[in-house]
Amino acid sequence: MMDHASIDAKARDILRGNDRGGYTLPTEGLYPYQWNWDSAFAAIGFAQFDVDRAWTEIETLMSGQWPNGMVPHILFHVPDPGYFPGPDVWGTDGIGPIASSGISQPPVAATAARAIIEKAPDQGRDRLAALFPKLKAWHSWFMTWRNAGGAIFITHPWEGGRDNAPDWDAAMAAIDPVGVGEYTRRDTSHVDPSMRPTKDDYDRYIWLVQRGRRLGWDEAEMAKDMPFKVADPLTTFVLLRANRDLAAIADLLGEDRAEIDRWTAEIETGVEALRNAQGVFDSINLRSGLHTGCVTSSSFLCWYAGVDSDAMRAELAQTFESCPYPIPSQKVESEHFDAKRYWRGPTWGIVNAMIARGLSEMGLTDEASRLTRQTRTLMVENGFAEYYNPLTGAPAGGGTFTWTAAVWLAWASPTAGEA
Ligand code: GLC
């Protein structure tokens, strides 16, 4: 078995190898562009050995910000015919400064910016100051356009970062993707189709993109009648956390934090609506008003956002018992569980990193250490895959994956956090 120092070196090589000069691909082939929250994790990874490059990652991401404050989930810097749906399908020409998708992704960037400045407080204060208003405008966009009483909703499964999570099933089933037309997927030529979303899912993903395009990606128009509108624990917890981090950044820069604090308070209220009858954090299909009944890895992000829950502590204990490689993206006992299929069962390093951080900050240190150790073993034995089978640990999806290597360096490696 490789020693940890050589695994650290391998992780750094992955970040360098996926670096396209200013931004990092999630992995070559399958994802040939800059993805939003992937970049935030890449920056946290780079901060462990190249602070300057870490700042650049966030700056490049924010350079794609739209005039309305939205930061797209994909920036199409250099056209690549091997990816679908590309810029020709999204039809966002002329809206943002860089060719892009028309939806956002979980806002991790402010949390990443705080991590970078804390890593090297003397380097990059000016860069942070330049980023601050952009980050704030992005959070403001969420509070304006994705806010249901403080619970944050998504308008496309891709916006939540968990493409085919069972949370979306009911909302997706209510869509009739009429007129979507013929198209050729590219993802299934890179990766085993049993590890990817189904054709039924894909028809609806593309149908939603076509609708946004028809409405010119005008949020006011799109808000009038949204076919897909689901309040999402992951996005809500990530924004709550990022808001707290943005407020800390405001303090550091001597900026006013009052508005950010108001958002934080509003989301703290919204979080309460996400608790279902069992007390578990659960998505709500806002078209029906119903909880979706899914216990996902997102439910366990409460602590990361500074929110405790007895029901989630009990779920955590049970998950450690029932799953050899936690935290599965869908509860193992659920009828929806599928060990290989993307966000319907596999375990993801980035989500585990956030969960463990929350656990340790909230004083659940045994649980945090346990999750760290188990994820470390997973990566040592199986490399830096996109995700892993939570029952066997087998790697799945894309390989040499940026965000998995990044969270190794920043968290799972025994050398993480060492000066
Ligand atoms: C998939 C994931 C999404 C990620 C992207 C690039 O679409 O579901 O969360 O950002 O791949 O890695």
Side-chain angles (χ1 to χ4, degrees):
M1 191 188 288
M2 273 198 279
D3 61 284
H4 290 134
S6 50
I7 303 178
D8 288 357
K10 207 169 166 235
R12 288 191 293 269
D13 286 349
I14 288 177
L15 262 60
R16 295 279 191 221
N18 289 334
D19 184 358
R20 290 297 174 272
Y23 68 96
T24 314
L25 310 182
T27 189
E28 199 166 340
L30 185 60
Y31 303 116
Y33 296 112
Q34 182 174 24
W35 262 259
N36 187 323
W37 69 325
D38 296 65
S39 262
F41 288 105
I44 294 171
F46 274 120
Q48 311 308 309
F49 63 102
D50 186 344
V51 169
D52 173 55
R53 182 61 188 77
W55 283 120
T56 306
E57 186 79 26
I58 307 278
E59 287 162 353
T60 309
L61 174 65
M62 299 309 289
S63 74
Q65 185 165 41
W66 283 16
N68 68 357
M70 197 274 279
V71 182
H73 99 293
I74 309 175
L75 298 178
F76 301 115
H77 293 286
V78 181
D80 187 317
Y83 182 80
F84 175 86
D88 50 322
V89 180
W90 286 92
T92 60
D93 279 7
I95 303 180
I98 296 174
S100 74
S101 71
I103 55 172
S104 199
Q105 239 186 354
V108 182
T111 300
R114 186 176 181 195
I116 308 170
I117 200 72
E118 285 182 349
K119 191 84 192 163
D122 304 329
Q123 276 179 62
R125 211 189 139 94
D126 49 335
R127 298 172 84 169
L128 180 64
L131 285 168
F132 175 76
K134 299 179 187 177
L135 293 167
K136 192 173 167 196
W138 186 23
H139 288 202
S140 173
W141 175 85
F142 272 103
M143 298 310 290
T144 307
W145 297 113
R146 296 291 185 268
N147 179 358
I152 306 302
F153 64 87
I154 58 172
T155 61
H156 190 296
W158 290 340
E159 195 161 63
R162 296 185 294 134
D163 307 18
N164 65 340
D167 313 41
W168 327 137
D169 286 1
M172 289 287 266
I175 293 174
D176 180 4
V178 62
V180 71
E182 295 291 317
Y183 59 90
T184 306
R185 286 173 69 169
R186 299 293 181 166
D187 58 321
T188 43
S189 61
H190 296 287
V191 166
D192 175 353
S194 71
M195 297 175 177
R196 298 288 305 177
T198 61
K199 159 115 175 97
D200 277 359
D201 286 328
Y202 246 82
D203 282 351
R204 289 165 176 78
Y205 298 153
I206 300 307
W207 186 87
L208 284 167
V209 170
Q210 291 169 346
R211 174 180 177 275
R213 176 184 188 144
R214 213 168 43 243
L215 298 175
W217 299 106
D218 178 332
E219 294 292 353
E221 283 303 312
M222 291 193 292
K224 284 182 187 157
D225 176 29
M226 279 188 172
F228 183 95
K229 190 175 181 188
V230 182
D232 170 34
L234 186 142
T235 308
T236 304
F237 287 137
V238 164
L239 181 63
L240 178 51
R241 167 69 192 230
N243 250 332
R244 298 191 201 282
D245 291 324
L246 193 62
I249 290 171
D251 285 347
L252 189 91
L253 297 170
E255 296 278 354
D256 183 30
R257 58 179 280 169
E259 188 173 23
I260 304 168
D261 287 341
R262 278 198 297 277
W263 295 336
T264 299
E266 201 175 332
I267 304 170
E268 281 171 342
T269 307
V271 159
E272 294 309 312
L274 296 175
R275 292 189 209 251
N276 66 19
Q278 287 71 44
V280 167
F281 296 107
D282 182 0
S283 305
I284 303 172
N285 178 1
L286 294 172
R287 305 248 342 164
S288 65
L290 298 175
H291 279 285
T292 63
C294 296
V295 182
T296 72
S297 48
S298 312
S299 313
F300 297 89
L301 287 170
C302 52
W303 300 291
Y304 174 78
V307 178
D308 201 0
S309 154
D310 289 341
M312 288 313 306
R313 286 181 184 229
E315 284 291 343
L316 184 66
Q318 198 201 325
T319 301
F320 276 132
E321 288 310 310
S322 65
C323 185
Y325 298 96
I327 304 285
S329 47
Q330 171 68 24
K331 188 171 165 143
V332 174
E333 293 81 4
S334 158
E335 53 171 337
H336 303 298
F337 177 78
D338 181 340
K340 282 198 294 190
R341 204 179 286 279
Y342 217 31
W343 291 99
R344 303 181 78 89
T347 184
W348 294 69
I350 39 130
V351 182
N352 285 358
M354 293 189 284
I355 295 171
R357 183 162 178 195
L359 288 170
S360 107
E361 287 171 351
M362 296 286 278
L364 293 156
T365 46
D366 289 348
E367 290 84 349
S369 312
R370 185 166 178 181
L371 186 54
T372 308
R373 276 195 318 274
Q374 282 174 289
T375 311
R376 178 180 302 155
T377 306
L378 186 67
M379 292 180 184
V380 168
E381 291 177 353
N382 301 286
F384 299 119
E386 186 178 7
Y387 44 93
Y388 306 83
N389 180 322
L391 302 179
T392 64
T400 55
F401 222 85
T402 291
W403 65 12
T404 312
V407 300
W408 169 267
L409 291 171
W411 162 64
S413 169
T415 61
E418 283 175 15

